[in-house]
Amino acid sequence: MKTILKGRLKEVIIDTEGPVIIIGESINPTRRKKLVSTLQEGNFDFVLELAESQIRAGADVLDVNVGFPGVDDVKLLPETVRRLQERFDVPLCLDSPNPRAIEAALKAAVGKCLINSVNGEEASLKNLLPLAKEYGAAIIGLCMDDDGITHDPEKRVLIAEKIIERAVKTGIKREDVVIDPLAMAVSADPNACLVTLETIRLIHQKLGHNITQGASNISFGLPDRESLNSAFMTLAIYNGLTCPIANPEKITAAVRATDLVLGRDDYAVRFVEYFQSRQ
Ligand code: THG
């Protein structure tokens, strides 16, 4: 299955049969005080710097999240989108819990964005699916609903199926629904990663959709996050993860290595290119 995203000119194909697509996570105020303070001053230099360094490190798509307490993201999200698209041609993943901010950003954006995210709650489906249809966007379908978060992989798959069904009914193409199985901190729950890995395996086998996840979520609260994230990333890709939201400056090496090991990088071209670009 192929999900196509677009920037101004550039097209990115997320393909269940192809190499992994990296969605850069770093435009996110979590743990980045400087992003908050510069945006509050109306200064976009740092956000553009973050975009550039992520693209250089291997990001194919950029997640854009500018939500923090006290900010009007209905204004700030579209403005950030405009500034990024003036300079860069990668497709964008619009990350906000606020449907009004998502709509304003869709209006400002050119190309075909990924909405992050729609979940199985009635309110979320009702607010966001018509927007995705109207603006021709793809969506991330998050495996939680009005009953909250389940730890049963089979139930997460049922929620994914519900979101896909409702999206298709709204007129969105099946392949434009990318599923997020939910990745959570393993420091809080020893089974968290196993539940996510099993959900990925089931979604890949039963539904065949593209799969994303916040790949750095699992290591919150632990030292040496890089090693943990890389270990989990490799296992998740083997099970069917195709487009992680991650820090490319830390994860691209593991992603390129895993693609090569899994026979998705003929003659190691991408692996060697990446190695050379880092010299
Ligand atoms: N699913 C979807 N969207 C999401 C998430 C998800 N968006 C937000 C979040 N989760 C993914 N984004 C981040 C961004 C930053 C970090 C974690 C998740 C983070 N970064 C570390 C830092 O900046 O210090 C670096 C981590 C590393 O060592 O690589 O903590 O789950 N759909």
Side-chain angles (χ1 to χ4, degrees), residues 95-117:
D95 190 351
S96 169
N98 180 358
R100 289 177 45 243
I102 295 282
E103 179 167 21
L106 287 168
K107 269 187 191 149
V110 289
K112 180 177 173 192
C113 297
L114 184 58
I115 296 175
N116 188 5
S117 56

Side-chain angles (χ1 to χ4, degrees), residues 48-233:
L48 294 171
E49 254 174 58
L50 285 174
E52 182 162 9
S53 51
Q54 289 185 93
I55 292 167
R56 212 183 312 116
D60 304 288
V61 176
L62 295 178
D63 190 78
V64 187
N65 183 324
V66 293
F68 44 89
V71 79
D72 179 7
D73 67 346
V74 180
K75 283 217 176 87
L76 189 56
L77 189 61
E79 183 59 18
T80 307
V81 162
R82 269 187 227 104
R83 301 287 184 127
L84 287 168
Q85 291 200 316
E86 270 171 26
R87 186 83 71 85
F88 305 103
D89 200 13
V90 294
L92 301 178
C93 175
L94 309 172
D95 190 351
S96 169
N98 180 358
R100 289 177 45 243
I102 295 282
E103 179 167 21
L106 287 168
K107 269 187 191 149
V110 289
K112 180 177 173 192
C113 297
L114 184 58
I115 296 175
N116 188 5
S117 56
V118 181
N119 62 52
E121 292 170 17
E122 266 317 304
S124 178
L125 295 165
K126 279 202 179 110
N127 284 329
L128 291 163
L129 294 180
L131 284 180
K133 167 70 183 154
E134 182 179 349
Y135 292 93
I139 64 169
I140 293 177
L142 206 61
C143 294
M144 55 180 280
D145 66 7
D146 291 298
D147 296 330
I149 294 172
T150 168
H151 297 287
D152 178 345
E154 301 271 358
K155 287 186 182 152
R156 289 195 187 177
V157 175
L158 289 177
I159 298 170
E161 284 177 315
K162 173 170 87 174
I163 298 170
I164 293 164
E165 200 178 295
R166 291 283 292 269
V168 168
K169 264 193 194 151
T170 310
I172 297 163
K173 285 187 278 182
R174 176 173 299 276
E175 59 265 33
D176 281 340
V177 184
V178 175
I179 299 299
D180 184 333
L182 286 191
M184 310 216 290
V186 72
S187 55
D189 171 5
N191 282 320
C193 290
L194 280 176
V195 170
T196 302
L197 289 170
E198 178 62 5
T199 308
I200 292 173
R201 195 183 68 79
L202 291 171
I203 288 166
H204 177 66
Q205 283 190 346
K206 290 186 171 178
L207 309 179
H209 276 242
N210 276 304
I211 299 172
T212 184
Q213 70 181 8
S216 312
N217 298 8
I218 65 132
S219 59
F220 276 126
L222 290 167
D224 195 8
R225 294 184 65 184
E226 218 175 315
S227 301
L228 260 173
N229 293 347
S230 295
F232 182 59
M233 180 66 75

